[in-house]
Each structure stands twice: as structure tokens, then as C-alpha cells.
Amino acid sequence: MQQHRLPSRQHPPRPSRPRTLTSLLTAAAATAGLLLTALSPGAQAAAANPYERGPAPTNASIEASRGSYATSQTSVSSLVVSGFGGGTIYYPTSTADGTFGAVVISPGFTAYQSSIAWLGPRLASQGFVVFTIDTNTTLDQPDSRGRQLLSALDYLTQRSSVRTRVDATRLGVMGHSMGGGGSLEAAKSRTSLKAAIPLTGWNTDKTWPELRTPTLVVGADGDTVAPVASHSEPFYQSLPGSLDKAYLELRGASHFTPNSSNTTIAKYSISWLKRFIDNDTRYEQFLCPIPQPSLTIAEYRGNCPHSS
């Protein structure tokens, strides 16, 4: 018996997807691809750190006489403070990026803030609030200068006209000569500090195993006032082995080299402050691997890679 098949149902042709919708889907896919690219490990790390300030650094940007931030400054009279001798605050003019980490800097024996003033705008233009101070007397010893650095930090974060621009949890200290010795004293007393940088530091105390603050010790190969063999090198060697620390010895430099604008001091100070006050790992590249001897560096020591 012959079988008859029913004719198959004819379906109308499916309309083609409108071009506009196709274009939108293509654009969305492209955008998603861009987002995935932007959220690469490096970008994710940047997004995870709320303290990054300024564009990605280059060797040229940290050696430049000024960074990306326009700066302003304000004088602080000794008459309105206690515990130190007043000074000058340098700070990024814009508030668009929120608060900034801060550093206070002490001059050396018989010196005034003018001797370290060049560091003010140079560091502030990289994204810090910087306070160069005068001491109570120019003859103050390192232990006194250490207390004065801390008094200045307290004034800066609690009473100063720029206190709302400062993140009080991200602070550091620097100093020249006895001021450098004072920066070690300050870090010993206040372990919450994020960075310390003694510049051709002088102190009768040569050992600092108590420090918990990442410390960059800067010495000078021609220093006859605080020779590295009896000051900067013992300072560095006595720091805990587990501490993030480095020793930079300037080539062809004297005890007073930090009193004038110096690219090598600025470059490594900026990198150290960024790395440890801002936790900005974009600056790790300038500290690790350890810089090699050069026309301006006699020696560099440190422990790499750095931790937090």
C-alpha cells in the first residue's frame, strides 16, 4: 500500500538581525574587551591602592625638578606652635585627588630650614604635604630634633591650615646631619611612621635595632663631619634584617651635599616615600633591583624585593 506523506510545514524565513542591533552588540563586546584589558593585573593593583597619587612614574619624572602637581606654600610662625620652631608647609594646590601623605624635614646643627628648603616644593609636587621646620635652637641635639619632628607632625595633622589635606595615618620624617639623626630618633619613638630618611645623618647612638619604620640611609663618600664609616654605615647595619631598608652612598659628595638641590637625593627620596608612605609599588622599579654604582652613586645596599 502506498504511503502518502503530509507536506512539511513551511516556515517563513527568519528575518535577519537588524544592523543597528548587531552594531550595538559588537560595540559592547569591544568595550568589554577594553575593560578586561584595563583590569589587567597591573591595573587591578593600581585600582586596589587608594593612595596612589600622580601619573605612572618614569625615570625622567622622578629626576625632574618638579612633579605633576602645582604647589602652594604657607609659613608657620614659631609664635603659634609649641615643641618646635615653626617652618614652611608645601602642599599640592589641587584637592581633586583627596588627601596626601606627609613628611616633616629637620635641618642640621647650626642650620635653619632654608638649608633644606629645596626639598619642599620638589617633594610636594610629586604628591606629598611637606613641612620644613626650624628647630627651637640651632644647637639642638638629635634626640631633641626627633621630638621636634614629631611635634611638627602633630601640628601638621591636627592644627595646621592644611590639616584636611593630610592623611594622618601616612607620615614620614627626614633630616640633614643632626636632623638626620633626629629622624632616626623620631622613628624609634613613633613606630607608626611609614618612612624615615636620614641625609648624611649624625648621632652619637650608632645602633637602631628598635626601628620598625622603612628607612633609607643616605651617606656621602667625602663626608668628614659625619663619616659614613662611623655614622651612616653603622646606622644601616644595625637596622633589623627583616626591615625594609636601604643604604645610598653618594659619590663625590660632602656632608653638606643635601643642602643644595640634588637629583640623586631627590630621585631615591621620592621613590622611598612613594613606596612606603603611599604603598605605591609603581616606584619599586627604582629601588629593586638594587641600583648599581654610577657617576653619582658610590654604593647602594638594600633588601629586595620590599614587603608591604
Side-chain angles (χ1 to χ4, degrees):
M1 178 163 55
Q2 186 176 9
Q3 293 182 339
H4 297 279
R5 296 181 182 275
L6 293 174
S8 61
R9 181 174 295 180
Q10 299 295 316
H11 295 281
R14 180 173 294 180
S16 61
R17 191 183 301 271
R19 282 181 174 273
T20 53
L21 180 57
T22 302
S23 301
L24 287 172
L25 290 173
T26 302
T31 301
L34 288 173
L35 287 172
L36 288 172
T37 301
L39 292 175
S40 62
Q44 288 176 338
N49 179 12
Y51 306 132
E52 285 186 4
R53 298 292 182 268
T58 63
N59 201 60
S61 74
I62 59 173
E63 290 186 349
S65 61
R66 291 292 182 274
S68 61
Y69 288 95
T71 63
S72 301
Q73 65 186 72
T74 183
S75 295
V76 178
S77 169
S78 61
L79 301 177
V80 301
V81 301
S82 61
F84 66 104
T88 305
I89 302 172
Y90 304 84
Y91 57 95
T93 305
S94 172
T95 58
D97 291 341
T99 57
F100 296 91
V103 58
V104 174
I105 311 175
S106 167
F109 190 63
T110 75
Y112 297 92
Q113 63 161 322
S114 57
S115 67
I116 43 146
W118 71 273
L119 284 162
R122 188 127 180 193
L123 299 180
S125 66
Q126 295 284 348
F128 295 101
V129 175
V130 184
F131 196 3
T132 59
I133 65 169
D134 279 319
T135 46
N136 290 324
T137 80
T138 60
L139 306 181
D140 291 336
Q141 298 296 298
D143 58 344
S144 173
R145 291 171 191 266
R147 291 191 296 272
Q148 293 181 59
L149 283 166
L150 297 180
S151 293
L153 280 173
D154 292 342
Y155 172 81
L156 183 64
T157 57
Q158 298 170 18
R159 296 179 49 210
S160 76
S161 61
V162 300
R163 60 189 179 277
T164 59
R165 299 172 184 261
V166 179
D167 182 344
T169 67
R170 298 188 293 116
L171 306 174
V173 288
M174 296 177 66
H176 171 241
S177 191
M178 282 195 184
S183 71
L184 295 171
E185 299 279 1
K188 177 181 175 179
S189 297
R190 189 172 294 181
T191 57
S192 62
L193 294 178
K194 302 300 185 185
I197 306 178
L199 303 170
T200 59
W202 188 101
N203 200 311
T204 55
D205 186 349
K206 310 300 182 185
T207 58
W208 300 92
E210 315 92 338
L211 262 65
R212 299 295 180 266
T213 296
T215 301
L216 169 63
V217 178
V218 179
D221 63 354
D223 193 336
T224 58
V225 177
V228 293
S230 57
H231 288 81
S232 292
E233 287 186 306
F235 297 164
Y236 171 77
Q237 291 166 351
S238 69
L239 295 170
S242 59
L243 185 68
D244 288 315
K245 61 180 182 175
Y247 171 74
L248 166 62
E249 186 174 314
L250 303 170
R251 186 187 298 278
S254 76
H255 184 70
F256 301 102
T257 294
N259 293 152
S260 302
S261 180
N262 182 283
T263 297
T264 305
I265 290 174
K267 175 180 181 177
Y268 292 101
S269 294
I270 290 165
S271 298
W272 197 262
L273 297 174
K274 285 285 192 178
R275 180 64 183 81
F276 294 107
I277 289 182
D278 288 355
N279 195 30
D280 193 336
T281 55
R282 297 179 300 174
Y283 289 79
E284 181 81 352
Q285 62 181 303
F286 307 110
L287 303 170
C288 296
I290 289 172
Q292 296 301 302
S294 66
L295 292 176
T296 60
I297 298 176
E299 183 183 2
Y300 194 106
R301 307 178 213 168
N303 49 2
C304 289
H306 298 115
S307 55
S308 62

